Amino acid sequence: MRKRAKAVAGALDGAGVDALLCLHGEGLPRPNVRYLSGFTGSSAALLIACGHRLLITDGRYREQAAAECPDWEVEILPPGGADAAAIGECCRSRGFARVGYEPQGITAGKLDELRDAGGAAFVPAGGLVEARRRRKGLDEIAAIEAAAGIVDAALEATAGLARAGVSERDLALELDVQMRRRGAEEPAFSTIVAAGPRSAIPHALPSERRLAAGDLVCIDCGAVVDGYRSDLTRVWVMGEPDAEQRRVHAAVLRAHDRALALVRPGAGGDDLNGAAREELAAAGIDGWWRHGIGHGVGLAIHEAPSLRAGTGAELAAGDVVTIEPGAYRSGWGGVRIEDLVLVTEAGARTLSAAPTALRVIG
Ligand code: ZN
Ligand code: ZN
């Protein structure tokens, strides 16, 4: 943790600021605070500069901040105290004249408050922490791998309960319970279970729809371990799949495998998207794909690098990204196969172990 803050402090000169302000609050949760300080409370501000690591929070977190951030100077706001005024005062008293804020981590209202409170000139300085979060360390990889393992086991345990008459909501709830029983702090995002024609909705919220013979069932879920997330999608089918279900699933799986085989440092997101699209096009279903091939995963479920087509992103060793081609047709259903992989010099190391085959249930 100390090294992370030190590395950010070392980049401040290049960004033209004396200090960096990272905010984290209920309206705008930001993993950068946890990444840099280890603080897991729901409200805090960090001020980082050479020789300074200051965490500002309120009395609810006095003990927690002391325990989680032993290397940090902790400033506890008085009850009813305004954090903008306290931040301004901290900047003034430490001689920080130009303070960088993270444009993605601040509301327009909060920026106004800071500027009104004074104490320093607040200027945008985004991406300093995100750039470092991309390259995952061994402890981070271990946490993500543990979260992926929990999902593999939870999915296996839940498959036995999937039968005609069980609702999407019941299956999603069971998955969440199974993940928590196996040590997940919480689900990494709202678990998706979408059956029949609803599987054509890539981010469907589970409904009261009950599983029926012939349904495709698309399940997308993740677990959280030590703050780190996993992300996995598999498709089940209620009873023997028909020819079209088999054909579409096989094409998406070929697209998944092609993209996965290209994963290595220096590979472009566009190359991965292009290869997957070729496989879908060969099956005549490239028009059914509605999203990018993947995204980075870590403390946030969507983080750098974004592998949407056209971003120009290049993979680097230490990235943890998803590979998740999909094909969706309104009224028919959808198939997405998503794996979580670590980018290594030798290529992709898949962190999830659940088989990618179309699984027959019911
Ligand atoms: Zn997912
Ligand atoms: Zn995903």
Side-chain angles (χ1 to χ4, degrees):
M1 295 292 171
R2 185 185 258 182
K3 269 194 197 150
R4 294 173 181 174
K6 217 172 168 183
V8 169
L12 296 179
D13 258 1
V17 294
D18 304 323
L20 181 70
L21 172 67
C22 300
L23 299 173
H24 166 59
E26 274 150 21
L28 202 56
R30 295 278 294 164
N32 287 355
V33 167
R34 180 167 185 167
Y35 176 78
L36 292 168
S37 69
F39 181 68
T40 63
S42 62
S43 177
L46 304 183
L47 266 172
I48 296 167
C50 275
H52 294 274
R53 286 186 303 276
L54 176 64
L55 183 143
I56 304 167
T57 185
D58 62 75
R60 293 173 297 171
Y61 301 109
R62 185 184 294 276
E63 291 80 5
Q64 190 176 338
E68 291 178 341
C69 316
D71 300 336
W72 287 67
E73 183 189 346
V74 176
E75 177 109 8
I76 301 290
L77 287 174
D83 53 356
I87 290 166
E89 187 45 43
C90 287
C91 294
R92 197 185 346 253
S93 64
R94 286 160 178 81
F96 304 149
R98 277 173 71 80
V99 174
Y101 65 84
E102 300 186 296
Q104 283 90 0
I106 194 164
T107 62
K110 175 64 77 179
L111 187 54
D112 281 348
E113 282 175 29
L114 283 171
R115 287 181 167 155
D116 287 348
F122 292 94
V123 297
L128 293 175
V129 186
E130 281 78 1
R132 283 164 178 78
R133 272 176 41 205
R134 258 187 79 166
R135 190 181 178 95
K136 306 293 189 284
L138 291 178
D139 52 340
E140 296 176 288
I141 294 163
I144 296 170
E145 197 160 19
I150 285 171
V151 167
D152 288 341
L155 206 59
E156 191 58 40
T158 304
L161 302 173
R163 56 183 172 274
V166 174
S167 72
E168 293 172 353
R169 257 183 216 163
D170 282 342
L171 268 189
L173 180 63
E174 184 62 27
L175 261 170
D176 290 355
V177 169
Q178 293 288 349
M179 286 194 284
R180 284 187 185 263
R181 279 218 178 103
R182 289 167 166 77
E185 287 159 27
E186 59 180 335
F189 51 91
S190 257
T191 296
I192 295 169
V193 175
R198 297 191 79 257
S199 58
I201 307 169
H203 280 181
L205 285 175
S207 74
E208 285 303 323
R209 188 185 191 285
R210 289 172 191 282
L211 269 51
D215 277 356
L216 288 172
V217 185
C218 185
I219 296 168
D220 187 346
C221 61
V224 178
V225 171
D226 290 339
Y228 286 85
R229 282 152 215 276
S230 69
D231 191 3
L232 178 102
T233 308
R234 290 292 184 263
V235 175
W236 298 341
V237 60
M238 286 286 292
E240 280 307 309
D242 65 25
E244 182 69 346
Q245 288 169 337
R246 257 185 232 282
R247 186 182 80 83
V248 172
H249 190 277
V252 173
L253 186 52
R254 284 195 298 274
H256 166 277
D257 292 351
R258 270 281 299 280
L260 197 63
L262 291 177
V263 169
R264 59 180 158 68
D270 287 348
D271 301 334
L272 271 58
N273 278 288
R277 186 166 291 284
E278 263 178 38
E279 292 298 334
L280 298 181
I285 58 169
D286 50 321
W288 297 19
W289 191 14
R290 307 180 190 171
H291 49 76
I293 190 72
H295 53 88
V297 176
L299 287 169
I301 191 63
H302 293 116
E303 60 179 54
S306 164
L307 299 180
R308 272 199 323 270
T311 62
E314 269 189 13
L315 293 175
D319 279 337
V320 171
V321 297
T322 66
I323 297 295
E324 51 175 310
Y328 314 90
R329 195 173 86 200
S330 296
W332 177 77
V335 170
R336 177 168 65 258
I337 302 169
E338 176 178 33
D339 271 317
L340 194 57
V341 306
L342 170 68
V343 181
T344 76
E345 295 296 343
R349 179 157 81 79
T350 306
L351 302 178
S352 31
T356 48
L358 181 58
R359 179 175 190 151
V360 177
I361 52 161

